[in-house]
């Protein structure tokens, strides 16, 4: 039995974002690591992001528009980043971060609402 397109698309985007977040921000805990090493490791992690991201967009396009796919991506990115920031980097989220994220999520309403 195959998964519905929205479930598969969102699942792949969620998994790709975990890799993306570690590729882009995971090195911040290792400030003494040489920059070249950090770049190469980040590229290696980002490879797996692309392995998931590209099929997610290809599978999802048609069911979702490109604008909807990008919006889903951004909402997932913020959600994954918020958890990553608190759990991995041990940086608290302040009220202003949450308000900013809420405004971006509010923008998703306008993308998905059928006028």
């Amino acid at each position: 039995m195959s998964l519905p397109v929205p479930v598969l698309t969102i699942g792949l985007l969620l998994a790709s974002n975990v890799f993306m977040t570690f590729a882009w921000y995971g090195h911040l805990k290792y400030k003494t690591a040489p920059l070249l090493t950090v770049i190469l490791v980040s590229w290696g992690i980002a490879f797996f992001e692309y392995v998931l991201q590209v099929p997610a967009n290809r599978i999802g396009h048609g069911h979702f528009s490109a604008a909807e796919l990008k919006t889903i991506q951004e909402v997932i990115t913020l959600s994954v980043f918020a958890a990553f920031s608190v759990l991995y980097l041990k940086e608290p989220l302040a009220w202003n971060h949450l308000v900013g994220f809420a405004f971006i999520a509010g923008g998703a309403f306008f993308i998905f609402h059928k006028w």
Side-chain angles (χ1 to χ4, degrees):
M1 182 170 109
S2 63
L3 294 172
V5 169
V7 172
L8 186 56
T9 300
I10 292 169
L12 287 168
L13 288 174
L14 182 62
S16 78
N17 265 276
V18 171
F19 284 104
M20 178 195 74
T21 302
F22 273 95
W24 286 13
Y25 301 102
H27 62 88
L28 296 177
K29 285 183 86 170
Y30 305 98
K31 298 244 186 204
T32 59
L35 185 57
L36 181 59
T37 300
V38 168
I39 290 169
L40 294 175
V41 169
S42 292
W43 279 356
I45 295 168
F47 169 78
F48 295 101
E49 172 206 351
Y50 280 88
V51 165
L52 298 167
Q53 175 85 15
V54 171
N57 286 328
R58 188 162 277 212
I59 291 165
H61 191 251
H63 183 87
F64 298 109
S65 70
E68 289 171 336
L69 283 169
K70 184 59 180 171
T71 302
I72 294 166
Q73 170 71 26
E74 293 304 325
V75 170
I76 290 172
T77 297
L78 284 175
S79 301
V80 169
F81 178 78
F84 177 86
S85 181
V86 171
L87 299 173
Y88 184 78
L89 294 177
K90 307 295 186 208
E91 294 182 4
L93 291 177
W95 70 269
N96 57 318
H97 300 131
L98 299 176
V99 169
F101 292 168
F103 277 120
I104 293 168
F109 167 79
F110 289 98
I111 298 293
F112 283 93
H113 186 75
K114 303 302 179 207
W115 300 97

